[in-house]
Amino acid sequence: IRRSLFLRSCPAAMYCLDFISKLIAITLVGLISIQVYGKKYGLNYRVKHDVFEIQQSEMWMIIMIVMSILHELGELIDSHFSLTDYLQDQWNVYDVIEYGLCLGWIVLRFVPGYFNNARIMLALAAIPQSQGLLRYLSVYRPIGELVIIVKAMMIDLIVFLIIYLTSIFGFGIAFAGMFYSPENDTFGTNIQTLLSLFSFTMGNFE
């Protein structure tokens, strides 16, 4: 108990523990998304998955998510349940997005017929996870100076993403409505349509 209290009251110890937990979490996301789902299903987003078939890495990921959410609840309690105070720390915004996607993965992972949606949500969780690592790397001065600039740009980035995703959503409905066909590899499903439009905006990655 004394050791746990010491760790809780020691900023350096909490800093290191948080950093290690974030590294483990993003490693598990990569392991599950690439080594488990990617190797088994590839680009097949019409696959049927047994919701009761749980890999060991998935169990570890679920445990990590639950523990991390409890930690964030502790921070929220420290702020007296004030969301304004909690979200003033811009890094907490990344945490909220990350855990929202991870919770979506957990829920949809065990709902029959929604495994493919869960797979995508887990993969997307790697984006806020990787961005959140910058808070720990910012102790190195050159990186810290760049992080300050990135934090100032975050509002503009969020606005851009909202406009971008709204446009993709609208065009996705339009293209799926005009070109939908079960045999169409580009617009065969809603997910394929959104992924195809994302690929188009990136120039098909060429």
Side-chain angles (χ1 to χ4, degrees):
I1 296 175
R2 289 181 179 178
R3 288 182 179 179
S4 63
L5 290 175
F6 168 76
L7 291 175
R8 180 68 177 172
S9 60
C10 179
M14 290 301 299
Y15 173 88
C16 293
L17 288 175
D18 284 345
F19 182 53
I20 292 172
S21 67
K22 292 292 184 182
L23 284 178
I24 294 174
I26 195 170
T27 301
L28 284 172
V29 168
L31 177 65
I32 297 170
S33 299
I34 300 171
Q35 297 296 324
V36 178
Y37 297 159
K39 283 190 174 181
K40 188 173 183 179
Y41 304 114
L43 293 176
N44 183 9
Y45 284 91
R46 298 180 182 179
V47 66
K48 292 184 179 179
H49 181 78
D50 183 5
V51 297
F52 298 106
E53 181 185 346
I54 304 175
Q55 301 292 328
Q56 186 176 8
S57 56
E58 292 178 304
M59 288 298 302
W60 281 113
M61 186 64 197
I62 293 173
I63 293 172
M64 284 288 299
I65 293 170
V66 173
M67 292 176 63
S68 298
I69 290 176
L70 290 176
H71 174 71
E72 292 301 318
L73 286 176
E75 290 191 1
L76 190 59
I77 292 173
D78 290 340
S79 65
H80 304 288
F81 294 98
S82 174
L83 289 176
T84 303
D85 293 340
Y86 175 75
L87 295 177
Q88 275 184 349
D89 184 356
Q90 294 180 346
W91 297 116
N92 287 336
V93 177
Y94 286 111
D95 291 335
V96 170
I97 297 173
E98 172 193 345
Y99 299 136
L101 291 169
C102 289
L103 278 177
W105 167 70
I106 293 176
V107 173
L108 297 179
R109 166 67 177 75
F110 295 100
V111 177
Y114 286 90
F115 169 74
N116 295 320
N117 302 75
R119 177 183 171 186
I120 292 174
M121 295 188 77
L122 180 65
L124 290 175
I127 299 175
Q129 277 183 327
S130 62
Q131 296 300 307
L133 290 176
L134 290 174
R135 84 180 78 178
Y136 307 101
L137 300 177
S138 61
V139 295
Y140 179 55
R141 183 171 180 177
I143 296 178
E145 293 173 350
L146 291 175
V147 168
I148 293 174
I149 298 174
V150 171
K151 289 175 68 175
M153 294 168 51
M154 193 171 71
I155 296 178
D156 294 333
L157 180 61
I158 292 174
V159 172
F160 167 77
L161 287 175
I162 292 173
I163 296 174
Y164 176 77
L165 293 175
T166 303
S167 300
I168 289 290
F169 180 73
F171 278 96
I173 295 175
F175 276 66
M178 292 187 291
F179 304 112
Y180 171 78
S181 172
E183 293 79 22
N184 193 331
D185 293 334
T186 305
F187 305 107
T189 65
N190 295 331
I191 294 176
Q192 285 179 327
T193 299
L194 293 175
L195 291 177
S196 297
L197 288 174
F198 174 74
S199 177
F200 295 161
T201 61
M202 298 295 161
N204 288 327
F205 301 100
E206 295 180 358

